[in-house]
Amino acid sequence: MASAAAGSSAAVPFWRAAGMTYITYSNICASLVRSCLKEPYKSEAASREKVHFAISKWADGKPEKPTVRSDSPEE
Amino acid sequence: MYRQAPRLLIRALDGGRGGRLIGRAFSTDVPAASVEDSAFVEAWKKVAPNLEPPKTPLSFMRPRPPTPSSIPSKLTVNFVLPYQSEISNKEVDMVIVPATTGQMGVLPGHVATIAELKPGVLSVHDGNEVTKYVVSSGFAFIHANSIADIVAVEAVPVDRIDPSLVQKGLADFTQKLSSATTDLEKAEAQIGVDVHSALNAALSG
């Protein structure tokens, strides 16, 4: 990926220069737009921001107990 | 011995095929791509006339739809979000997409383009009616046969935006931008300012 030293061809967008990926940028834009919605739509949109995932670290070739994370949008 | 034949043949042909592809005309001039690779099949039959030629990746791909010789009168638009399909196969006169290079108007017969979208207003024009959506970010793929596929992460009709929240957000992020220290904070604040000013422009424009 393009590093800060722009030896490559295109001018990188400011978020890429700051080390952010496109997906992060896109998700931030989307959550900002969602936060500016009027009321009934805003609560429907809040459900779209929830993430639910389980992480399990592996040690010595065996999985440890997974931690389940469920993040709802909170700054 | 014959087991290796397809692998060696494909490798031998790749140079020829690759070279020819580079010299090819633009997609607007090319007819629909053929499904079978005739050069490969001929070469195979010379080497192994009794064996069925194996399928090459080209035969698994659906052929590119043909570009009509005359410009169609309407543009077919597909506008999708991750959770629903806003517009599906609708024939319209024009769409204006908020590309990073500026507002881009797409008419039927537009050259094939891939455009990255910035936060802004997408307007769909059909006769006298105009439907406007605020798009957070995404991509617009315009194909040579006048079909436009627009994908966005979040898009809402303009009347669902709350103006007071937009003003408050804009003030917040402008303040954060001036007080930001690290590169990442500056980038986030800049994104906030960009999005909120685009929403502001959408409400007033």
Side-chain angles (χ1 to χ4, degrees), chain B residues 20 53 76 134 182:
Chain B
R20 259 181 290 149
T76 313
V134 167
T182 67

Side-chain angles (χ1 to χ4, degrees), chain A residues 22-33:
Chain A
Y22 179 79
I23 296 192
T24 319
Y25 164 71
S26 189
N27 284 336
I28 293 180
C29 286
S31 60
L32 288 173
V33 168

Side-chain angles (χ1 to χ4, degrees), chain B residues 108-123:
Chain B
H110 197 282
V111 66
T113 314
I114 300 182
E116 183 191 336
L117 304 180
K118 65 177 181 214
V121 175
L122 171 90
S123 42

Side-chain angles (χ1 to χ4, degrees), chain B residues 5-6 9 22 27 48 51 59 64-66 73 87 92 104 113 129 139 151 176 186 193:
Chain B
L9 274 172
I22 292 171
S27 70
L51 289 174
S59 60
R64 186 187 285 136
S73 60
I87 303 179
V92 299
M104 178 167 80
T113 314
E129 19 167 297
F139 290 91
V151 290
K176 273 191 206 166
K186 277 193 210 143
V193 168

Side-chain angles (χ1 to χ4, degrees), chain A residues 13-15 17-20 22 25-30 32-39 41-42 44-45 48, chain B residues 83 116 119 136-139 153-154 156 159-162 165 173 183-184 187-188 190-192 194-196 199:
Chain A
F14 64 89
W15 40 267
M20 206 187 279
Y22 179 79
Y25 164 71
S26 189
N27 284 336
I28 293 180
C29 286
L32 288 173
V33 168
R34 279 185 210 124
S35 67
C36 288
L37 291 176
K38 286 186 186 158
E39 213 2 84
Y41 309 111
K42 196 166 179 181
E44 291 164 8
R48 277 182 235 133
Chain B
Y83 48 91
E116 183 191 336
S136 71
S137 63
F139 290 91
V153 178
E154 191 66 54
V156 291
D159 48 18
R160 293 193 194 173
I161 308 281
D162 188 342
L165 289 175
F173 279 100
D183 256 351
L184 193 58
E188 287 178 2
Q190 181 67 50
I191 296 174
D194 282 346
V195 170
H196 285 95
L199 285 170

